[in-house]
Amino acid sequence: VESEARLVPLLTKGHTSVARVTDDWYVACRSRDLGKTPLAATILGLPLVVYRQANGAPAALLDRCPHRNVPLSIGCVKGDHLECAYHGWQLDREGTVKVVPGLAGPHEARGRRVESFACREQDGLVWIYLTPDEEPKREPFAFTWARDRSYTTVYQRLRAVGTLHATAENALDVPHTAFLHRGLFRKDKPERQRIDVVVKRWHDRVEAEYVGEARPTGLVGKILAPRGGTVKHFDRFFLPGIVQVEYALGASHFIASAALTPVSDFETDLHAVISFKLPIPGFLLVPFLRPIALRIFGQDARVLALQADTIKRFGGEQYMSTDVDVVGNHILRLLRDAERGPRKPRESVEEPVEKRLTMLV
Ligand code: FES
Ligand SMILES: [Fe+2]
């Protein structure tokens, strides 16, 4: 009994970093996955239906027929309208009821509508602005390198069981690579190299620049830069959930970005877009690198799921951080601020908050 009493204060409930940023863009699906049939997508727990209008442009509505609450995603597209599978009501892109089959008189459309969401299609992805019935305040993130023909670009969709924050931090976290991905990416060596890190945070993004880092040891480093050398390395996070890792060495350039879509509080989809220009041709490298990348992701996914599970079992998070948790706390802060209120436009010029630190890699 006594030991139980001593345990209780340890199990205090922390809060969980489930930030719900709704006035921004998230990837619903890949362009090529959206054909003639409507698709169901869930973002931050919100059920949505995505479909293509007659001109091919994507559209999104709340996935609930206003008549009897059947999911509209089981319906079909009729010209510019979405037709419900149950009684055939037809809705337009704004979510207004346009056709009620069998109704003899004219129907009063006013008030009979469902929430509608702005859509964009770019870089092979379909984006949804998560605040309904509103003009977007900004444009979706642009995967600039994927548009450059001199780069090889690979796409991969992945699912992590973890919050958006935990998943984003994991993608940009350096210290875990020597342990969780031992040998694949970095090694835990007795002799570590001292490097400087410059962290800059703007209102909508954070960037960590690792200065003077030697090519990562381990298999991936050897493939990317067989002759070794000093790499330029940046890790970045952009609101509401873009992670980016950039490596440059001589003429080689490797830039892996992922758009994170929070499906629910503890499920996050990653739409990874990896672009690179290397001495070895891309088509030779991709079949070799993909299984390694998937193996690395499998190790991350396993640890994220266990992290989420532990957070749930303890009823909340309790983090202890140090300087080498370079961007995690900044990501959390950006998400919390964005959740609370409106943001400046992405293009706005401002001096970043800057911090310099030293770490051993
Ligand atoms: S439930 Fe959709 S038309 Fe009746
Ligand atoms: Fe990892």
Side-chain angles (χ1 to χ4, degrees), residues 94-344:
E94 269 67 54
T96 310
V97 177
K98 288 297 195 187
V99 177
V100 177
L103 190 68
H107 85 276
E108 180 51 75
R110 227 180 325 130
R112 288 205 184 93
R113 63 182 297 274
V114 353
E115 284 83 349
S116 142
F117 298 81
C119 285
R120 295 277 189 278
E121 189 166 18
Q122 63 181 45
D123 302 320
L125 300 165
V126 177
W127 300 76
I128 293 183
Y129 192 75
L130 210 57
T131 305
D133 306 322
E134 221 178 76
E135 258 316 297
K137 292 192 190 74
R138 52 190 73 83
E139 285 303 304
F141 185 83
F143 291 95
T144 331
W145 309 109
R147 298 171 186 182
D148 188 329
R149 294 276 162 188
S150 64
Y151 282 75
T152 303
T153 294
V154 187
Y155 173 96
Q156 182 74 47
R157 184 180 183 156
L158 302 154
R159 162 80 50 102
V161 178
T163 61
L164 181 135
H165 161 246
T167 309
E169 179 181 41
N170 168 267
L172 304 179
D173 178 63
V174 172
H176 85 278
T177 54
F179 292 89
L180 187 63
H181 310 305
R182 202 185 297 269
L184 279 176
F185 199 71
R186 285 189 181 80
K187 282 181 186 150
D188 181 30
K189 348 158 240 199
E191 287 288 305
R192 284 190 174 221
Q193 183 200 358
R194 179 181 294 268
I195 59 159
D196 291 324
V197 190
V198 184
V199 188
K200 290 181 188 159
R201 192 182 73 232
W202 291 264
H203 72 282
D204 63 348
R205 62 193 196 275
V206 57
E207 177 190 273
E209 182 185 359
Y210 296 83
V211 185
E213 186 186 1
R215 179 208 69 183
T217 52
L219 192 54
V220 177
K222 282 188 189 125
I223 296 166
L224 297 182
R227 273 179 238 129
T230 304
V231 290
K232 256 184 173 320
H233 171 193
F234 294 93
D235 286 346
R236 303 185 184 97
F237 173 83
F238 303 81
L239 280 172
I242 310 288
V243 289
Q244 188 169 71
V245 178
E246 180 177 5
Y247 279 103
L249 193 152
S252 300
H253 192 200
F254 174 90
I255 185 151
S257 317
L260 271 46
T261 301
V263 176
S264 62
D265 287 351
F266 284 98
E267 279 169 301
T268 303
D269 271 355
L270 291 93
H271 295 268
V273 180
I274 299 156
S275 301
F276 55 84
K277 194 154 63 170
L278 297 164
I280 313 164
F283 70 92
L284 287 177
L285 217 50
V286 174
F288 188 68
L289 278 184
R290 195 186 286 270
I292 301 173
L294 289 175
R295 205 170 134 205
I296 292 175
F297 179 75
Q299 294 169 333
D300 284 324
R302 178 176 168 265
V303 99
L304 282 170
L306 289 168
Q307 179 187 5
D309 196 43
T310 309
I311 289 166
K312 286 183 206 159
R313 288 168 75 191
F314 281 87
E317 294 161 307
Q318 216 177 66
Y319 293 140
M320 192 182 275
S321 304
T322 73
D323 262 3
V324 295
D325 298 302
V326 177
V327 290
N329 294 338
H330 291 288
I331 295 173
L332 199 51
R333 170 145 181 203
L334 287 171
L335 287 168
R336 286 258 167 262
D337 287 351
E339 194 183 23
R340 234 174 277 129
R343 254 176 288 153
K344 290 180 233 170

Side-chain angles (χ1 to χ4, degrees), residues 38-71:
L39 277 187
T42 309
I43 305 178
L44 284 170
L46 201 63
L48 302 163
V49 53
V50 199
Y51 65 97
R52 285 194 191 280
Q53 303 165 83
N55 66 0
L61 301 174
L62 202 64
D63 196 9
R64 177 174 62 183
C65 178
H67 181 220
R68 288 294 181 268
N69 296 186
V70 162

